[in-house]
Amino acid sequence: MPHATAGGPGRIHGDGSVTAHAPAKINVHLAVGPLRADGFHELTTVYLAVSLLDSVTAWPDDGLSLTVTGEGAGGDVPTDSRNLVWQAAELLARHAGVRADAALHIDKSIPAAAGLAGGSADAAAALVALDALWGTRCTRGDLAGLAARLGSDVPFSLVGGVALGTGRGEQLSPSLSRRRTDWVLGVAGTGLSTPKVYRELDRLRATGQVAADAGAGQPDDVLTALRDGPDATLAGFLANDLQAPALELRPDLRAGLAAMTGAGALGALVSGSGPTVAGLVEDADAAAGTADALVAAGAFRLAHAVHGPVPGARLAG
């Protein structure tokens, strides 16, 4: 019988394949500190996992191969060793002392380079799927350690829910918050490079256009509002230090933010390094209606009605 994994009971299908899902994230709060000696910025962020999911399926095979369907297929998402899924497979194989043999397929709903940690979600899903496929018997702690080596957002993609992230975002303090919040994700036409957004923030601070100490504030109020509400209070605490540089690089996002609040969102911000705009709304009906209205008005290429918190990477049933 397949063993239990960090993602839940092992589920190897009749064709020998294993599928895992992982969620997109919103940075409900993101304060960026100074540049560290290792080239990263010190971060304080409140992560929220939402119900926009990517799936990774793995089959037994000789060597590694990777295919992609959905958002970003055909160019935006690499299908070689540049992809975090490929890197996750090689890392897990080295850790467990097994051959990196698998055919991997990503079915993407999370847009690439959108500030939603789509690549990180894929890497987390790959770790969970391959742990089951290869029988590596990794603990959750094992997978979390591997996830941190793959990228700053990968550990949260593995855990999900709500969490406070520090360090470069990989040091997590999960929250017990389970209160549902509803959101609209407005996806712009093209992505933004995360390193480019951080470099622009450094430039804005160096030239005095953004004060170096003008951080997003303390995360405690955000965590409390996520747990206890009301949504109007949470809306007032939404903050992201990367929003200013994202708007400098993509001035069209100002119209997107205005369109989101104009369509009825209680509050809105650029998610992570952008360019996705996340709008907090009252409930699921409002989310669906707002998403439809924004797309019909041409404010965004597409819009998703989502909710959170949801679990991190898990095996599919």
Side-chain angles (χ1 to χ4, degrees):
M1 293 291 290
H3 67 278
T5 74
R11 298 179 181 89
I12 298 180
H13 302 144
D15 62 357
S17 69
V18 180
T19 298
H21 305 302
K25 62 80 182 168
I26 299 172
N27 295 93
V28 181
H29 165 101
L30 178 55
V32 180
L35 189 65
R36 309 189 317 192
D38 62 3
F40 291 97
H41 289 78
E42 193 72 21
L43 302 181
T44 301
T45 186
V46 176
Y47 289 113
L48 172 69
V50 295
S51 57
L52 182 64
L53 307 178
D54 277 2
S55 299
V56 174
T57 300
W59 296 268
D61 202 0
D62 293 327
L64 285 177
S65 62
L66 179 60
T67 55
V68 180
T69 55
E71 274 287 325
D76 290 345
V77 181
T79 56
D80 54 22
S81 60
R82 294 171 295 166
N83 194 297
L84 280 179
V85 165
W86 192 294
Q87 295 169 33
E90 291 183 330
L91 184 61
L92 177 60
R94 288 196 300 271
H95 171 80
V98 301
R99 289 174 55 88
D101 289 340
L104 296 158
H105 178 75
I106 309 172
D107 185 11
K108 285 197 68 61
S109 296
I110 306 170
L116 298 172
S120 296
D122 298 341
L127 288 174
V128 170
L130 289 169
D131 175 53
L133 182 72
W134 292 339
T136 55
R137 299 185 181 275
C138 286
T139 65
R140 178 164 291 275
D142 292 334
L143 293 185
L146 296 176
R149 293 169 62 183
L150 289 165
S152 300
D153 290 334
V154 184
F156 178 71
S157 297
L158 189 68
V159 173
V162 176
L164 175 67
T166 55
R168 54 184 171 85
E170 88 287 7
Q171 299 172 22
L172 299 178
S173 299
S175 168
L176 296 178
S177 175
R178 292 294 179 266
R179 187 180 72 88
R180 172 174 171 145
T181 52
D182 289 276
W183 302 78
V184 175
L185 303 179
V187 181
T190 57
L192 263 175
S193 162
T194 297
K196 189 174 182 180
V197 175
Y198 275 98
R199 287 195 297 270
E200 180 65 8
L201 176 63
D202 292 337
R203 186 191 71 80
L204 292 174
R205 287 177 169 174
T207 58
Q209 294 173 262
V210 172
D213 59 353
Q218 298 301 316
D220 294 348
D221 292 335
V222 180
L223 289 166
T224 299
L226 276 170
R227 184 183 67 244
D228 299 331
D231 287 343
T233 298
L234 174 60
F237 291 131
L238 301 179
N240 176 11
D241 281 354
L242 293 182
Q243 181 163 298
L247 292 176
E248 284 292 317
L249 295 170
R250 290 283 298 276
D252 58 297
L253 292 179
R254 298 181 190 278
L257 286 163
M260 185 69 75
T261 54
L266 301 171
L269 80 170
V270 173
S271 179
S273 57
T276 299
V277 173
L280 176 65
V281 296
E282 292 182 347
D283 53 33
D285 288 340
T290 300
D292 289 344
L294 289 168
V295 172
F300 297 101
R301 176 173 66 87
L302 57 93
H304 294 284
V306 301
H307 67 272
V310 300
R314 294 292 185 273
L315 292 173

